[in-house]
Amino acid sequence: NLQAIYADAVFRPRLRHFDFLQEGWRLEHTDINTKTTPIIIKGVVYNEMKGVFNENQTIFIEKLLNSILPSHTYGVVSGGEPLQIPNLTHDYLVKFHQEHYHPSNSKIYSYGNFPFEDHLKFMNDHYLCSNGKIDVSSSLVPAEPRWLSPRRKHVDCRLDPLAPDPDRQSSIAIGHLCNDIKDTQTTLELHILAELLIKGPTSAFYKGFIEENLATGFGPFTGYDSQCRDTIFVISLQGVTNDDFKKIEEKHDDILKDVISKGFDDDHVAAVIHGIELRNKHQSSNFGLNLLFNIFPLWNHEGDIVESLRINSALEEFKRKMKKDEKYLQKLVEKYLLKNNHRLILTMSPTDDYDKKLVEAEDAVLKKKLGELSPENVDKIFETGKLLRADQEKKEDLNILPTLMTRDLKDDVDRYDFEDIEVSDVPVQVSVQPTNGILYYRGILDIKHLDDELKVLVPVFNDVFARMGTEKYDYRSFDRLCSLKTGGLSFNSHVSSDKIDLERYQEGIVVSSYCLLRNSPELWRLLEELFSRGQLNDLK
């Protein structure tokens, strides 16, 4: 049973010393069979984290999180800073696991149609009842002390020889620490505010930064993040020049002041609320996992997860506040962004000697580790390396792993009723299912008669067709309409092989969308508008 495999991995890992040497870090000869070869640092996690920090944006994101939440767990690299990993000992790892991976410190979640009582009995009989309760208060993350004034930091990175513009390899982020994650109402409202400010071509920051060519695009951490104990709002820009750092910072505040002065378009606010309602009702194949990922940050910080699931009542409360105070959103902008002293301005630029300095730092760590060893312990490195290799080459007993047998499978797949009809001589399949009030649409356009020269352009067509506007609506207005009434219009390439003849296949473009059932007439009107009057002549 996979449940036992995963639960054992969490609560009862072996954590042998050899496991630590292989997975964590170790000193080892470059050739384990030759004692005279150089000694280096090895380890799965050590090398993985070195690979992670080969990406400039990863360096930037990690520095941003560590710097804006410096006082506790977020102030360190959760996966391990490569230069610090060699300070970890096996004894400390075992002790850390005993304290923090105890059942008393766990949250157990179950979703699906298997009997819940069986899951509870399994976890209780095998893991919970055999462990006494311990004090886990040390695992609680306190709120971050608020700053009295903004702070600035700069970080170096490596040059990218493949960058489209060698002069635009810098990044800048302006981050604000916002509300306590337990305040679920404010969290929802700031999620709405973030979408209004950032998402789509009509948003203030997109028009102010991207369309003004101050950056090639938003950085990967851009937006409102509600994963940590205190939530964070970040505007991150990549592909900027060092000379524009000050200009971007001033532009950032000018945009906020303009938003406070003019407010937001009612249709824009309605589109964002509609999107939240639609996402709340939309059920994908991994709905249970998505639900877990959404509630876990709040749950992990002892928040009210049941209250957080009451999205409809929270939206109604937000609408009530908006009706009572037409400048409510502007006041949120002023409080959490413009006049928030807990602001971090982080910049990053490449340097010619970044890799050289990194190698020197790694060499210094290795030299320090070797310098701490006695001659006898240096000799043991060779023997330990050979013992570890022998342990790695042992044949594992695969019979202890769960195996899926044909008898475990159903005799047939799940089948659903559908009706075949024709609309304007086009074959249509209709399936009535409990979709939580959502209509799903999927159509296929046959492209087998297209010339090969045109087929090459199909991926480009799929990417831009729904984003270029129509004769009646420019691209911003059409994007707003799609957000107001649907979950978006999607175009993707499609290839399907024949079930009988392997030499035959169908080529096409899949058109898909979904919407609240009440908005289905608007979905058809948007598709008709796009197909009948779509424009492809806006080269910008």
Side-chain angles (χ1 to χ4, degrees):
N1 187 302
L2 285 178
Q3 190 175 21
I5 297 292
Y6 287 119
D8 274 352
V10 173
F11 295 120
R12 298 172 182 166
R14 299 172 72 187
L15 292 183
R16 303 176 307 152
H17 187 245
F18 277 153
D19 296 329
F20 174 79
L21 296 178
Q22 174 179 296
E23 302 297 326
W25 77 277
R26 65 187 182 275
L27 295 172
E28 188 173 272
H29 291 273
T30 52
D31 181 352
I32 65 167
N33 296 310
T34 307
K35 197 172 183 179
T36 56
T37 57
I39 296 174
I40 59 174
I41 299 176
K42 291 184 179 181
V44 174
V45 173
Y46 175 74
N47 287 323
E48 283 180 349
M49 293 309 297
K50 285 181 65 176
V52 166
F53 283 99
N54 270 331
E55 294 289 335
N56 285 343
Q57 286 302 312
T58 302
I59 297 171
F60 194 56
I61 291 170
E62 194 65 44
K63 191 66 174 180
L64 176 65
L65 182 64
N66 299 158
S67 301
I68 200 168
L69 290 162
S71 69
H72 205 264
T73 184
Y74 306 114
V76 296
V77 180
S78 60
E81 160 62 49
L83 296 176
Q84 297 296 326
I85 287 176
N87 293 325
L88 179 65
T89 66
H90 177 243
D91 289 340
Y92 182 84
L93 175 66
V94 173
K95 182 175 181 291
F96 184 90
H97 179 272
Q98 291 171 346
E99 292 179 357
H100 296 281
Y101 286 77
H102 192 278
S104 300
N105 201 32
S106 67
K107 303 285 192 297
I108 298 173
Y109 170 92
S110 179
Y111 180 91
N113 55 6
F114 291 109
F116 184 45
E117 292 80 3
D118 294 347
H119 285 190
L120 290 177
K121 186 177 189 309
F122 175 85
M123 293 301 297
N124 182 67
D125 293 349
H126 291 84
Y127 303 99
L128 304 184
C129 69
S130 58
N131 289 277
K133 188 174 178 62
I134 66 171
D135 180 12
V136 295
S137 59
S138 62
S139 293
L140 296 177
V141 179
E144 182 71 24
R146 300 299 164 133
W147 301 344
L148 299 178
S149 60
R151 299 180 184 179
R152 300 173 183 275
K153 285 198 174 183
H154 182 81
V155 60
D156 294 333
C157 65
R158 57 176 46 84
L159 282 165
D160 182 2
L162 300 179
D165 187 344
D167 296 326
R168 300 185 68 170
Q169 295 193 44
S170 296
S171 299
I172 181 172
I174 302 174
H176 298 87
L177 205 64
C178 297
N179 63 297
D180 189 320
I181 193 176
K182 297 180 184 180
D183 184 355
T184 56
Q185 181 65 38
T186 300
T187 296
L188 173 68
E189 293 171 2
L190 291 182
H191 269 298
I192 294 173
L193 182 63
E195 288 204 30
L196 290 169
L197 290 171
I198 297 169
K199 189 176 180 181
T202 60
S203 63
F205 281 121
Y206 183 90
K207 289 190 289 186
F209 287 132
I210 310 304
E211 288 191 353
E212 293 294 322
N213 199 32
L214 285 172
T216 57
F218 288 124
F221 203 79
T222 297
Y224 177 68
D225 184 275
S226 56
Q227 303 289 311
C228 302
R229 176 65 169 79
D230 297 278
T231 66
I232 307 168
F233 182 92
V234 177
I235 294 297
S236 173
L237 300 172
Q238 55 187 352
V240 306
T241 65
N242 289 4
D243 293 339
D244 283 338
F245 283 159
K246 186 64 176 177
K247 182 178 180 181
I248 288 171
E249 188 179 342
E250 292 172 351
K251 182 73 171 179
H252 174 274
D253 284 359
D254 288 342
I255 291 172
L256 294 179
K257 291 173 183 176
D258 190 60
V259 166
I260 292 171
S261 173
K262 297 178 180 177
F264 297 97
D265 183 78
D266 289 343
D267 282 347
H268 196 181
V269 177
V272 171
I273 294 175
H274 167 264
I276 292 173
E277 183 181 5
L278 194 59
R279 289 194 297 270
N280 188 45
K281 290 179 176 290
H282 176 50
Q283 295 190 22
S284 60
S285 58
N286 56 351
F287 180 83
L289 276 178
N290 287 338
L291 182 62
L292 171 63
F293 295 148
N294 285 332
I295 67 172
F296 189 77
L298 178 63
W299 195 14
N300 195 41
H301 294 293
E302 309 301 327
D304 188 341
I305 59 174
V306 175
E307 182 64 26
S308 73
L309 295 175
R310 297 190 173 104
I311 301 295
N312 290 335
S313 60
L315 286 174
E316 289 304 314
E317 173 64 12
F318 171 70
K319 293 175 184 176
R320 185 192 66 77
K321 292 179 180 178
M322 289 285 291
K323 188 175 181 180
K324 182 179 179 181
D325 183 355
E326 62 180 16
K327 292 188 177 182
Y328 181 69
L329 278 170
Q330 290 98 302
K331 291 179 180 178
L332 290 181
V333 173
E334 186 173 43
K335 176 181 178 180
Y336 289 102
L337 302 181
L338 186 62
K339 294 186 177 180
N340 185 350
N341 284 326
H342 201 117
R343 169 187 285 197
L344 173 71
I345 300 98
L346 180 68
T347 55
M348 180 177 73
S349 302
T351 58
D352 294 331
D353 59 351
Y354 178 84
D355 286 316
K356 178 185 175 185
K357 288 182 177 179
L358 182 60
V359 170
E360 290 174 349
E362 292 172 352
D363 290 343
V365 171
L366 176 60
K367 184 177 180 180
K368 180 175 182 292
K369 286 296 172 185
L370 291 174
E372 294 171 347
L373 299 177
S374 65
E376 293 79 11
N377 285 332
V378 172
D379 289 339
K380 285 183 180 179
I381 292 174
F382 179 71
E383 296 302 326
T384 302
K386 296 182 72 173
L387 291 172
L388 177 61
R389 176 61 60 86
D391 185 76
Q392 292 169 336
E393 292 176 349
K394 284 181 181 178
K395 190 173 182 178
E396 300 280 357
D397 181 10
L398 301 182
N399 292 323
I400 66 173
L401 297 176
T403 305
L404 183 66
M405 310 296 290
T406 54
R407 63 174 177 269
D408 297 321
L409 304 177
K410 295 180 180 178
D411 293 332
D412 195 6
V413 298
D414 293 332
R415 298 185 181 276
Y416 301 94
D417 295 329
F418 60 85
E419 181 183 1
D420 285 309
I421 61 175
E422 284 195 359
V423 178
S424 300
D425 297 325
V426 176
V428 176
Q429 286 186 342
V430 179
S431 180
V432 179
Q433 300 293 334
T435 59
N436 208 16
I438 294 182
L439 177 139
Y440 294 89
Y441 165 75
R442 185 174 184 267
I444 299 178
L445 305 175
D446 193 345
I447 62 170
K448 64 183 178 184
H449 298 300
L450 277 182
D451 294 336
D452 289 342
E453 293 83 2
L454 293 176
K455 286 182 180 178
V456 174
L457 298 174
V458 166
V460 177
F461 172 84
N462 292 340
D463 188 50
V464 303
F465 186 46
R467 301 161 59 187
M468 299 282 280
T470 69
E471 294 176 3
K472 187 176 180 180
Y473 303 100
D474 62 27
Y475 73 96
R476 286 198 185 98
S477 300
F478 193 74
D479 178 79
R480 177 73 57 79
L481 282 173
C482 290
S483 298
L484 267 171
K485 301 300 181 182
T486 76
L489 306 182
S490 177
F491 291 77
N492 292 286
S493 298
H494 168 80
V495 178
S496 177
S497 60
D498 192 283
K499 291 187 175 75
I500 299 175
D501 186 353
L502 295 179
E503 300 297 322
R504 298 178 58 190
Y505 60 92
Q506 179 191 38
E507 296 177 281
I509 295 175
V510 175
V511 185
S512 58
S513 186
Y514 61 96
C515 66
L516 297 172
L517 206 55
R518 66 173 185 263
N519 290 333
S520 56
E522 283 78 7
L523 170 61
W524 309 133
R525 279 194 282 269
L526 286 169
L527 287 171
E528 188 273 335
E529 173 69 24
L530 185 61
F531 282 123
S532 300
R533 290 171 286 278
Q535 295 285 290
L536 291 170
N537 53 11
D538 187 349
L539 298 181
K540 288 183 70 177

